[in-house]
Amino acid sequence: MRICVIGTGYVGLVTAACLAEVGHYVIGLDVDQDKLNKLTEGVMPIHEPGLDAIVLRNMKSGHLTFTPSYADAMAETGVVFLAVGTPPEEDGSADLSYVLAAARSAATHVRRDCILVTKSTVPVGTGEKIEAVVTEALSGRNDAPKVTVASNPEFLREGQAVDDFLKPNRIIVGIANPTDAEVFRRLYAPFNRNRDRLVIVDRKSAEITKYAANAMLATRISFMNELATFCDATGGDVEAVRKGMGSDPRIGPHFLYAGVGYGGSCFPKDVQALIASGEKHGVNMQLIEAVHEINQMQRQRFVKAILTALEGIEEPRVALWGLAFKPETDDMREAPSRDVIDALLARGARIRAHDPVAMDVCKGLWPNEEHLEFMESLDACTPDADALVMMTEWLCFREPDWNAVESSMRGRLLFDGRNVYDPTTLKARGWQYHGIGRNGIA
Ligand code: NAD
């Protein structure tokens, strides 16, 4: 099939590459010329494991091309994915201006009947808004093709996006026009060989399903973070509690990790957008509001614990391991490390930070910040540090050489934002260990 993907960011580029990988002809369209230049030179604009090989292979075979031109992209396309951003507005609601602008441009240049498919995460009712924009763009055209609007929310996880796209556990498709179902069956047939993963529903339910999934996952995280605070107050160990409760098959072990609060490009914005959408429709999303508030508190609680422990140290030095909001990505959107870095810099601390892939992005976030240095290794962060802060559970941070760390640092403060280290062992080595919900452990 001939497909156009509008927006070549985390979702769009993965979608375009994976659809090309199974034999479709895909044009990726973006307004960001820099991004397109990089792609044309074979340089990935984002870090996503396995993505470069698929992109390069399909560019070479001619299955994947890129363009800034809507006229070129729409010439032969029967399926158009909208994968542009939906960042939060001031009030938390999703900013639909990119989605609507992309839909308008697509409809203006469309040459044949096609389905406009929203992959971006959009609030319920956006399908109708897109339809209105399309109708307006097509009005007055004698040769106007038929354009229908569908919803196909994306559930990929950054860091595992290629695998998630190629081996989805479900493909949710929301349609208003029953004949569109057949197009989606053909489009996704290569991903459905082992079992049918297509779940075809009405468009509004598809739009809601995406927010429901993210809100549920965020709820599990905030639930565990609240329990972690309770464990700290009572002397329990949230990790022991997690294992105990997660072994109940009705609960399951996933997304039960207490930590520094969720971040990234999706959970914070989608939770707030769902709250705003509830307000707009006269529904008070009490539980989701609490999820958001707990998350904000959790992030601040960690920052406060660090600042309190550093009280009295003039110009403290901090080694910071991990910057990205989670391992295997360079995405720094809403990363909890940003709160920690900003608070430490405001306190006058000197930070040496390392992350395996996110440092280039970070250099742009804190340009010319002389108290923040990005180091090429873990070891390079620790000399003379008063405190060590672990923010992202990259595998390479799991088993540090504690002898080397201890001999290079001048202090023994450890803030384990992901509960990856063993408090008992570290306390026995003389560390002042601060985890999340495990501070009562001897
Ligand atoms: P992104 O910011 O990485 O990419 C968006 C791209 O769209 C950018 O390259 C931008 O230049 C381009 N763009 C903006 N306006 C355009 C226009 N009018 N025409 C063409 N291109 C345009 O965003 P992302 O992280 O890929 O997210 C995209 C959408 O997918 C969002 O709604 C997000 O909530 C959703 N989503 C994201 C993830 C994720 O893990 N990042 C997962 C599932 C869903």
Side-chain angles (χ1 to χ4, degrees):
M1 293 169 82
R2 304 242 162 221
I3 297 163
C4 167
V5 178
I6 304 181
T8 58
Y10 283 85
V11 166
L13 187 55
V14 171
T15 301
C18 292
L19 289 172
E21 179 75 354
V22 297
H24 296 302
Y25 285 89
V26 187
I27 301 190
L29 183 153
D30 208 292
V31 289
D32 183 339
Q33 190 60 52
D34 263 7
K35 204 173 265 192
L36 294 179
N37 291 345
K38 273 191 181 161
L39 283 166
T40 324
E41 286 161 21
V43 178
M44 292 306 107
I46 53 168
H47 174 85
E48 196 55 54
L51 183 61
D52 47 354
I54 297 190
V55 169
L56 297 178
R57 183 162 53 241
N58 286 286
M59 282 170 68
K60 202 167 166 203
S61 71
H63 277 267
L64 180 61
T65 50
F66 296 100
T67 180
S69 157
Y70 274 89
D72 289 352
M74 297 302 298
E76 292 183 65
T77 299
V79 179
V80 181
F81 283 100
L82 298 171
V84 299
T86 46
E89 298 266 25
E90 285 272 292
D91 65 353
S93 61
D95 176 356
L96 292 179
S97 57
Y98 301 93
V99 167
L100 297 177
R104 187 173 292 111
S105 306
T108 305
H109 292 92
V110 68
R111 289 283 162 271
R112 49 170 281 202
D113 293 355
C114 78
I115 309 183
L116 205 48
V117 188
T118 313
K119 251 210 183 301
S120 303
T121 302
V122 294
V124 59
T126 302
E128 277 97 327
K129 288 189 179 158
I130 296 174
E131 265 170 1
V133 160
V134 169
T135 308
E136 193 192 315
L138 291 176
S139 68
R141 263 177 70 174
N142 298 330
D143 63 336
K146 186 170 164 235
V147 178
T148 56
V149 177
S151 162
N152 175 209
E154 183 49 59
F155 296 94
L156 60 75
R157 294 163 295 178
E158 281 179 24
Q160 298 162 71
V162 170
D163 239 27
D164 283 349
F165 198 98
L166 292 175
K167 293 178 219 144
N169 41 36
R170 80 290 204 198
I171 302 166
I172 307 283
V173 173
I175 48 174
N177 179 357
T179 54
D180 288 348
E182 192 43 42
V183 178
F184 283 100
R185 284 208 179 88
R186 276 180 46 219
L187 177 77
Y188 283 120
F191 306 92
N192 270 334
R193 283 198 65 195
N194 143 286
R195 68 178 169 85
D196 188 8
R197 288 153 167 99
L198 265 190
V199 182
I200 299 201
V201 297
D202 65 281
R203 207 169 51 197
K204 283 188 173 172
S205 300
E207 290 167 341
I208 295 173
T209 303
K210 173 62 192 177
Y211 284 100
N214 276 359
M216 182 69 201
L217 296 171
T219 300
R220 283 171 75 101
I221 294 172
S222 279
F223 178 86
M224 289 311 289
N225 283 336
E226 189 166 77
L227 267 188
T229 308
F230 186 63
C231 285
D232 278 338
T234 55
D237 176 2
V238 78
E239 283 295 293
V241 175
R242 170 179 72 76
K243 288 174 191 154
M245 63 184 281
S247 56
D248 181 335
R250 293 170 302 176
I251 297 171
H254 303 295
F255 270 84
L256 290 182
Y257 291 86
V260 284
Y262 57 75
S265 69
C266 291
F267 288 1
K269 95 172 161 58
D270 293 349
V271 162
Q272 288 177 82
L274 184 55
I275 295 167
S277 189
E279 233 164 69
K280 188 177 151 220
H281 293 279
V283 179
N284 183 3
M285 310 294 272
Q286 271 174 285
L287 176 62
I288 313 301
E289 272 179 32
V291 166
H292 172 63
E293 272 166 34
I294 291 167
N295 195 58
Q296 299 298 94
M297 284 189 306
Q298 187 70 4
R299 294 170 66 130
Q300 285 316 311
R301 188 175 290 122
F302 191 67
V303 168
K304 196 171 161 208
I306 300 172
L307 294 181
T308 306
L310 292 177
E311 261 167 27
I313 305 177
E314 209 178 307
E315 261 206 13
R317 289 172 181 266
V318 177
L320 199 144
W321 289 354
L323 294 158
F325 86 95
K326 68 168 176 174
E328 298 296 346
T329 181
D330 58 356
D331 200 340
M332 284 297 295
R333 289 177 284 186
E334 296 280 338
S337 65
R338 298 175 73 144
D339 293 355
V340 171
I341 289 173
D342 288 339
L344 284 171
L345 291 175
R347 161 71 172 75
R350 289 182 171 271
I351 307 168
R352 284 185 176 150
H354 174 74
D355 187 283
V357 300
M359 294 198 295
D360 281 346
V361 176
C362 288
K363 284 173 192 163
L365 293 174
W366 291 277
N368 314 318
E369 182 54 72
E370 60 180 51
H371 283 195
L372 174 60
E373 284 176 90
F374 297 106
M375 315 305 286
E376 284 311 312
S377 70
L378 297 187
D379 301 345
C381 300
T382 51
D384 296 326
D386 299 290
L388 171 59
V389 181
M390 215 289 282
M391 294 301 298
T392 317
E393 66 276 36
W394 282 94
L395 279 179
C396 59
F397 298 167
R398 299 265 173 115
E399 279 296 325
D401 176 350
W402 289 112
N403 290 329
V405 173
E406 286 162 9
S407 61
S408 73
M409 281 182 61
R410 70 180 181 200
R412 283 290 177 277
L413 289 168
L414 173 57
F415 297 89
D416 179 0
R418 303 291 177 177
N419 283 349
V420 294
Y421 302 128
D422 178 38
T424 309
T425 312
L426 287 164
K427 281 180 183 175
R429 294 184 73 112
W431 286 88
Q432 212 176 312
Y433 175 89
H434 299 259
I436 313 284
R438 3 186 36 199
N439 294 331
I441 304 172

